[in-house]
Amino acid sequence: MYPLLFRTVLTRLDPEFAHHLAALVIRVAGVEPVASVVRRVTAPAPDQGVDALGLHFDSSFGVAAGFDKNVTMVRGLGALGFGHVEVGTVTALAQPGNPKPRLFRLVADRAVINRMGFNNDGAAAAAAKLRRLRRARRRPVIGVNIGKSRVVAVEDATTDYVRSARLLAPLADYLVVNVSSPNTPGLRGLQAVETLRPLLTAVRDAAGSTPLLVKIAPDLDDDEVQDIARLAVDAGLAGLIATNTTIARIGLSTDAATVEAAGAGGLSGAPLKARAAEVLRLVRAAVPAEFVVISAGGVETAEDVRERLAAGANLVQGYTGFLYRGPLWGRQINRGLTRHR
């Protein structure tokens, strides 16, 4: 039913408005007794569990950052079968993000362009919601993705990240430093090794015992990918997420005028699949076996997840596939993984 709903109704709606409608459905899915009924249909099989980052994940497949920016859908996404939810990106200061429209579908490519700009309610608001979630009886693993506040100068980024880390790390199962979004001016420049090392060291110290990861862009060259991977190991991080969205627009089926009209922003979805898989292989080759690698980008099917796991990912994340597959996407992935065990 969902493909028909998507073609006939959802594609006629503004993408960001459609996302907010979906969020309402997801939130209902997380409220008892609805959640218990939903779990009977969506829960991963017991043997799909994965241990990583000192945590147990009911499924190797989870939701990438950007989907639940304000920590409102965690219970619902967990009920829908996702093994973890990475909330955010959260910034120390609340901010509205970039002007609308800022989210665009490329349906022919099963892709999305976004330039949301870290729209979120800020670290203090996220912390209050996370405190309540910590008391929940049933919830997935919760990662918290943190980024730089837009009004903070790049040279003051470390202080800004540390502020978020101190508020959020004690409430997170794991913490992620996002230096790879293309939608905050100057942010990707923080991926330079000489800039990234002191930033990661400071955030690691602020995070304490909470596992810390860094999320990188697919647009780095191969040497840069491996340099950052080795830096993450040297800095004592627990893992790395590969990858964020891309600024590339290569090989798209959508007509050029539509792509140009969408404008700047990060591209996610199927066109990112090949590069995300390649970055995963590069990272895995540069880090020790115990270092956790989470793969994201162009993941839509159980076969995609299996391929990433076989290539060395400990966990896999998706986002754009939810738009094209609907609320039973997590169930589809989990059932597909079970059938091929």
Side-chain angles (χ1 to χ4, degrees), residues 2 8 25 27 42 70 80 99 113 141 144 160 170 224 238 254 283 295 312 331 336 338:
Y2 182 80
T8 59
V25 175
R27 291 170 71 176
T42 63
N70 285 311
L80 288 169
I113 292 173
V141 171
V144 179
D160 190 61
E224 289 173 323
T254 303
V283 171
S295 184
R331 178 186 184 276
T338 299

Side-chain angles (χ1 to χ4, degrees), residues 44 48 59-62 81-82 110 273 280 295 297-311 313 315-318 321-322 325 328-341:
Q48 282 184 242
S59 169
S60 57
F61 187 59
F82 295 95
R110 300 185 76 79
K273 178 178 177 177
L280 166 62
S295 184
V299 174
E300 189 174 332
T301 67
E303 179 61 28
D304 294 334
V305 175
R306 284 195 298 274
E307 288 175 358
R308 301 296 173 90
L309 295 173
L315 299 162
V316 181
Q317 293 179 340
F322 203 110
R325 293 276 179 163
L328 293 181
W329 184 37
R331 178 186 184 276
Q332 293 167 7
I333 296 290
N334 290 330
R335 295 298 182 271
L337 293 175
T338 299
R339 283 196 300 271
H340 289 83
R341 277 182 177 263

Side-chain angles (χ1 to χ4, degrees), residues 71-159:
V71 200
T72 60
M73 294 181 269
V74 172
R75 293 184 191 181
L77 290 168
L80 288 169
F82 295 95
H84 69 280
V85 179
E86 190 171 308
V87 299
T89 295
V90 179
T91 53
L93 304 174
Q95 55 188 41
N98 290 320
K100 299 178 182 180
R102 53 193 181 181
L103 186 64
F104 307 88
R105 304 182 191 94
L106 304 186
V107 177
D109 292 289
R110 300 185 76 79
V112 166
I113 292 173
N114 94 82
R115 53 173 176 271
M116 303 299 288
F118 291 169
N119 54 305
N120 75 106
D121 294 336
K129 293 173 184 175
L130 288 166
R131 285 189 194 95
R132 291 193 290 272
L133 280 170
R134 298 284 289 189
R135 298 191 293 268
R137 187 174 62 86
R138 294 287 300 271
R139 65 169 180 82
V141 171
I142 303 172
V144 179
N145 185 297
I146 59 173
K148 185 185 78 68
S149 303
R150 190 181 187 95
V151 297
V152 172
V154 172
E155 55 267 27
D156 297 323
T158 296
T159 300

Side-chain angles (χ1 to χ4, degrees), residues 234-324:
D234 292 343
L237 270 63
L240 181 150
I241 301 180
T243 64
N244 212 316
T245 58
T246 179
I247 58 174
R249 302 288 190 267
I250 300 171
L252 298 178
S253 299
T254 303
D255 66 274
T258 299
V259 175
E260 185 176 355
L267 175 73
S268 61
L272 187 52
K273 178 178 177 177
R275 180 56 182 167
E278 177 59 23
V279 173
L280 166 62
R281 288 189 287 269
L282 290 165
V283 171
R284 190 77 269 175
V287 300
E290 64 272 16
F291 188 81
V292 171
V293 183
I294 302 177
S295 184
V299 174
E300 189 174 332
T301 67
E303 179 61 28
D304 294 334
V305 175
R306 284 195 298 274
E307 288 175 358
R308 301 296 173 90
L309 295 173
N314 301 88
L315 299 162
V316 181
Q317 293 179 340
Y319 175 165
T320 305
F322 203 110
L323 185 154
Y324 291 102

Side-chain angles (χ1 to χ4, degrees), residues 177-255:
V177 173
N178 184 350
V179 288
S180 49
S181 169
N183 300 318
T184 296
L187 188 77
R188 283 190 167 195
L190 296 174
Q191 292 177 113
V193 169
E194 63 274 12
T195 306
L196 189 57
R197 184 183 298 275
L199 170 61
L200 293 180
T201 300
V203 177
R204 180 205 64 203
D205 292 345
S209 61
T210 302
L212 180 66
L213 298 85
V214 63
K215 186 169 185 176
I216 64 171
D219 306 307
L220 298 165
D221 66 37
D222 292 357
D223 289 340
E224 289 173 323
V225 167
Q226 294 201 310
D227 285 346
I228 293 175
R230 286 187 283 264
L231 167 61
V233 174
D234 292 343
L237 270 63
L240 181 150
I241 301 180
T243 64
N244 212 316
T245 58
T246 179
I247 58 174
R249 302 288 190 267
I250 300 171
L252 298 178
S253 299
T254 303
D255 66 274

